[in-house]
Amino acid sequence: MTGPVTDPATDPAPDPAPGSGHRPSGGAAPDDVPSAAVPAPPGRGRRGTRTRAFVITAVAVLAALGAGGAVVLAPDGPEKVAAQPEEHGTTTPIVRGDLTVTADVDGTLGYTGTGSLYAQAPAPAPDQGSGQGSGQGDSPGGAPRPQGGGRPSPNPSGGPKGGAGPDADDQNTGTRLFTGLPTVGDSFKRGDTVYHVNGRPVPLLQGEAPLWRALAKGVPDGPDVRLLEQNLAALGFGKDLQVDDKFTDATTAAVKRWQKSLGVPQTGRVDPSAIVVQPGPVRITAVKVVVGAPAQGEVAAVSGTGRQISVNLPVDKQTLAKQGDKVTVRLPDGRSTTGTITSIGTVAAKADSPDPGMGGGKATVQVLVALDRPEDAGTLDGAPVTVGFTSQSRKDVLSVPVNALVALAEGGYAVEVVEAPGSRRLIGVKPGLFADGRVEIGGEGLREGQKVLVPSP
């Protein structure tokens, strides 16, 4: 029957002998070391047969390895002898969970993508291409030629003669000037007004290509019609609208409802100059024009609105990154969050070296990381961050703090399980992965929630 380990501090026996209560020596680390002691090896005098000196060594090794290091220990090792053990300390439970070792690499926090935002010129007049011009013509208007060969309206907007009524539109006649512009840092989504021309709002629509012709009832079918209808439906103006390539009466009605919401003449026609098309929501990174400038050409440089981290990963660490893997991110204020690898470059670039004579730095590949919780980054842009890539990981394992390990003089390692006040026993363990101050353990008789002794600092 196994009894508790006798505390050497309360047992004044002069020499280790059978039944003296000292911990075992000789042989491999036991799975369950009994309290009955065996003779100490010759020449060891009153020194105990177990030690925590190993813990100090392991911590030193981990410190030398840095954040990217990991240590895996075998159950058998060189014999270690300790001084008389102190029993003072606290207890902590054995925990079941994941252990992960990370390699930290510097990165830069910014926004997804880059691009430019352009103001389109009005489409050509009907007699210069029936509304199917490239969007760069000099004549205003852009209304399609009426069906049946009839003459186009003398009003360039395609509205009633004389410009009267709700359909009148002289926006594209005369000089067109920017009367309102965005500022750096502004963000826009579908339907938002990006800038103003001659006092009228120019909203953002989403699509892969800008309009190249004016759209109205009677234009030939085309993908630009579908783009317009998709946006009208997404904005809530698509009642009874079938999204396809055909500009129908339902499309005209949807356009007029949308124009009414913008406070512009309800013509039922959409000119390329009246909208801005981008693949998705945008954020202004630079404004390229001023109020009063002619309303044509590049208006602003833009990015996406998603938060993204760019990492120049050395090629010798490229295996750390796999698309879809999770990473940890340490922000400039010290807080941590998580992200997902979205892209890994395939072309290595040589980093600039601070010393021109060195011929450049290490070759790197660009790795892009999307934040799982973009709000964690606030409004930081171009900020330095630290990204932790997983180098080793163990799932669903038992672990204890590193300093809970006991190195036995006879070889092997153990933890001291506290089963009840004053009742302790050593259980042999096989250490595995070290990570974040903890160590994976395995062995017979171990279970989650058991209390183990952790010595006081």
Side-chain angles (χ1 to χ4, degrees):
M1 178 175 180
T2 301
V5 175
T6 304
D7 188 335
T10 59
D11 183 3
D15 295 298
S20 65
H22 283 274
R23 291 183 173 85
S25 62
D31 287 342
D32 191 344
V33 180
S35 60
V38 296
R44 292 185 182 174
R46 295 176 55 83
R47 291 179 299 177
T49 59
R50 66 182 180 89
T51 179
R52 296 184 184 269
F54 159 76
V55 173
I56 298 173
T57 304
V59 173
V61 170
L62 287 174
L65 286 172
V71 178
V72 178
L73 298 178
D76 297 315
E79 182 176 321
K80 295 183 183 294
V81 179
Q84 194 79 347
E86 289 286 344
E87 301 298 345
H88 301 293
T90 59
T91 60
T92 188
I94 297 176
V95 174
R96 180 176 293 279
D98 300 342
L99 285 182
T100 301
V101 178
T102 60
D104 290 342
V105 183
D106 292 338
T108 303
L109 173 64
Y111 288 84
T112 55
T114 57
S116 293
L117 187 148
Y118 290 89
Q120 295 290 98
D127 59 351
Q128 290 180 304
S130 300
Q132 301 182 54
S134 65
Q136 301 298 323
D138 296 327
S139 299
R145 184 183 300 277
Q147 299 298 304
R151 295 179 61 189
S153 167
N155 186 335
S157 69
K161 293 181 180 181
D167 289 342
D169 184 3
D170 60 357
Q171 172 70 17
N172 294 326
T173 62
T175 302
R176 302 177 68 253
L177 304 177
F178 289 113
T179 55
L181 292 169
T183 58
V184 172
D186 288 346
S187 295
F188 301 96
K189 62 183 183 301
R190 189 198 318 259
D192 289 345
T193 296
V194 181
Y195 56 87
H196 289 77
V197 172
N198 291 0
R200 290 188 183 173
V202 178
L204 174 70
L205 299 186
Q206 290 185 194
E208 296 303 321
L211 299 189
W212 66 89
R213 58 178 178 167
L215 298 179
K217 178 70 181 298
V219 296
D221 298 349
D224 50 349
V225 177
R226 179 181 293 272
L227 180 151
L228 175 62
E229 291 180 338
Q230 287 173 335
N231 280 273
L232 292 170
L235 291 170
F237 299 102
K239 181 181 179 183
D240 302 325
L241 178 64
Q242 180 177 347
V243 176
D244 54 23
D245 293 345
K246 300 179 183 298
F247 201 111
T248 64
D249 289 336
T251 310
T252 301
V255 169
K256 288 185 175 182
R257 288 192 292 269
W258 173 50
Q259 290 173 328
K260 182 179 180 180
S261 74
L262 294 172
V264 301
Q266 300 165 47
T267 64
R269 177 182 60 82
V270 180
D271 190 88
S273 63
I275 62 171
V276 172
V277 179
Q278 289 287 308
V282 296
R283 177 179 178 274
I284 304 298
T285 59
V287 178
K288 303 299 184 74
V289 294
V290 296
V291 171
Q296 189 170 347
E298 186 179 13
V299 180
V302 298
S303 70
T305 57
R307 305 314 306 273
Q308 178 177 267
I309 295 168
S310 175
V311 179
N312 291 327
L313 188 67
V315 293
D316 58 356
K317 295 183 178 179
Q318 188 175 356
T319 55
L320 295 176
K322 294 183 178 62
Q323 190 163 334
D325 277 4
K326 295 293 183 181
V327 297
T328 59
V329 179
R330 189 163 64 250
L331 300 170
D333 60 6
R335 294 180 299 120
S336 292
T337 186
T338 59
T340 304
I341 298 175
T342 58
S343 173
I344 302 172
T346 56
V347 178
K350 206 165 190 180
D352 293 334
S353 173
D355 185 350
M358 296 300 292
K362 282 187 175 182
T364 63
V365 293
Q366 186 185 51
V367 176
L368 299 181
V369 175
L371 288 180
D372 295 335
R373 297 183 299 277
E375 63 275 12
D376 289 350
T379 59
L380 292 173
D381 189 12
V385 296
T386 302
V387 180
F389 293 87
T390 299
S391 61
Q392 293 189 55
S393 181
R394 293 296 302 272
K395 303 291 186 181
D396 194 35
V397 296
L398 297 176
S399 70
V400 296
V402 172
N403 56 347
L405 280 182
V406 176
L408 303 177
E410 61 272 21
Y413 310 93
V415 291
E416 191 164 4
V417 175
V418 179
E419 298 178 323
S423 175
R424 294 186 286 269
R425 64 187 178 118
L426 292 174
I427 296 182
V429 299
K430 178 181 179 180
L433 184 68
F434 283 79
D436 297 327
R438 301 188 66 84
V439 57
E440 172 193 358
I441 58 172
E444 294 293 330
L446 298 173
R447 65 179 184 276
E448 180 182 1
Q450 280 179 310
K451 301 288 188 179
V452 296
L453 184 67
V454 178
S456 299

